[in-house]
Amino acid sequence: MNVFGVDIGGSGIKGAPVDLDRGDLAEPRHKVLTPHPAAPDGVADCVGEVVEHFGWSGPVGITFPGVVTGSVVRTAANVDKSWIDLDAGKLLGDRLNMPVTVLNDADAAGVAEMTFGAGRGRKGVVMLLTFGTGIGSAVFIDGKLVPNTELGHLELNGHEAEKHASTKVKDDEELSWEHWAHRVQKYLAHVEMLFSPELFIIGGGVSRKADKFIPLIKHIRAEIVPAELQNNAGIVGAAMATAEH
């Protein structure tokens, strides 16, 4: 069965039909740049552009980079603050004229990885961390999601962790892989102290280059692996969420 998924990020908005039997994209994804400022109407138009690229009609799952309860946005760290307390489900559903399901972006990626990827069959505490414009998190206990954890906003060295160790910071500060891996290591050590996970799954676009930095991360007890679905995990998880509604 094919269902459409859209992943809204701080830098790009991407989507595709998803084959939920295989847990993979049914067609190559289409991506547009996130507008700046990333205000609701502009983002909704970009989501519409992605969906219309495929001539899709039917339910659409959509991720959002912030806390989402029901379909209402509660936080907006890397998009315009006018999203806060907005019913994103209504806005996007009206724009597309289709039923939509909205959920946190990292939660969507995590559900996809736990079902089809690196977390398949894993019990205990598993954490997916997505590194991109910010740092997203999804926490699972025996395969069950604890939604909207937003652990990229933990304080680290007096700053929000994502202001210290995101992929955007690596690019903005032109950090070497070694320097950035050291920052990621400090972040993982802090998260490990708090939650004692058995497995860290590293997602986001940087997961494609896992061999450049994961071997450089030392002194973490938990196993550390790249996301198998890489940067498509959010799209797959979004489609899964709307299929369940």
Side-chain angles (χ1 to χ4, degrees):
M1 179 174 74
N2 287 3
V3 180
F4 206 93
V6 177
D7 191 11
I8 297 174
S11 59
I13 297 171
K14 52 193 181 290
V18 174
D19 181 341
L20 289 181
D21 296 322
R22 294 188 299 116
D24 200 1
L25 307 191
E27 298 181 48
R29 71 189 190 190
H30 182 65
K31 180 177 180 177
V32 299
L33 294 178
T34 303
H36 290 284
D41 287 341
V43 170
D45 286 343
C46 287
V47 171
E49 186 182 333
V50 170
V51 175
E52 287 151 16
H53 174 82
F54 293 90
W56 179 265
S57 62
V60 178
I62 303 171
T63 77
F64 184 82
V67 171
V68 181
T69 54
S71 63
V72 177
V73 172
R74 300 300 184 193
T75 68
N78 294 305
V79 290
D80 196 78
K81 297 293 183 265
S82 57
W83 279 98
I84 296 172
D85 294 330
L86 184 79
D87 188 334
K90 182 174 188 329
L91 171 79
L92 294 164
D94 289 350
R95 171 61 181 79
L96 297 174
N97 198 25
M98 298 173 203
V100 304
T101 304
V102 182
L103 71 161
N104 173 267
D105 56 349
D107 286 352
V111 167
E113 282 294 325
M114 293 300 286
T115 307
F116 296 110
R120 232 180 355 239
R122 294 294 292 252
K123 299 295 185 188
V125 178
V126 175
M127 304 186 76
L128 171 110
L129 299 169
T130 60
F131 290 82
T133 307
I135 300 175
S137 62
V139 179
F140 295 85
I141 301 171
D142 291 335
K144 291 188 169 50
L145 174 68
V146 181
N148 290 313
T149 48
E150 291 290 290
L151 299 179
H153 302 297
L154 285 171
E155 187 176 310
L156 190 65
N157 296 341
H159 303 281
E160 281 192 351
E162 67 175 29
K163 301 285 195 292
H164 184 71
S166 69
T167 310
K168 182 177 188 300
V169 169
K170 179 191 182 303
D171 294 342
D172 288 350
E173 298 184 18
E174 299 182 350
L175 302 177
S176 67
W177 286 108
E178 289 80 2
H179 191 160
W180 185 66
H182 181 64
R183 290 191 180 191
V184 172
Q185 176 180 307
K186 287 167 77 170
Y187 173 62
L188 295 182
H190 188 53
V191 173
E192 185 169 69
M193 176 194 72
L194 294 170
F195 294 95
S196 301
E198 284 145 48
L199 175 66
F200 282 119
I201 303 170
I202 305 299
V206 77
S207 59
R208 290 193 302 270
K209 300 173 181 173
D211 59 325
K212 292 185 181 297
F213 68 95
I214 288 181
L216 303 174
I217 298 172
K218 311 295 184 187
H219 311 301
I220 303 295
R221 286 191 302 276
E223 186 182 355
I224 306 170
V225 298
E228 289 181 14
L229 304 179
Q230 297 182 348
N231 214 16
N232 291 334
I235 298 173
V236 173
M240 292 172 67
T242 204
E244 289 167 8
H245 275 245

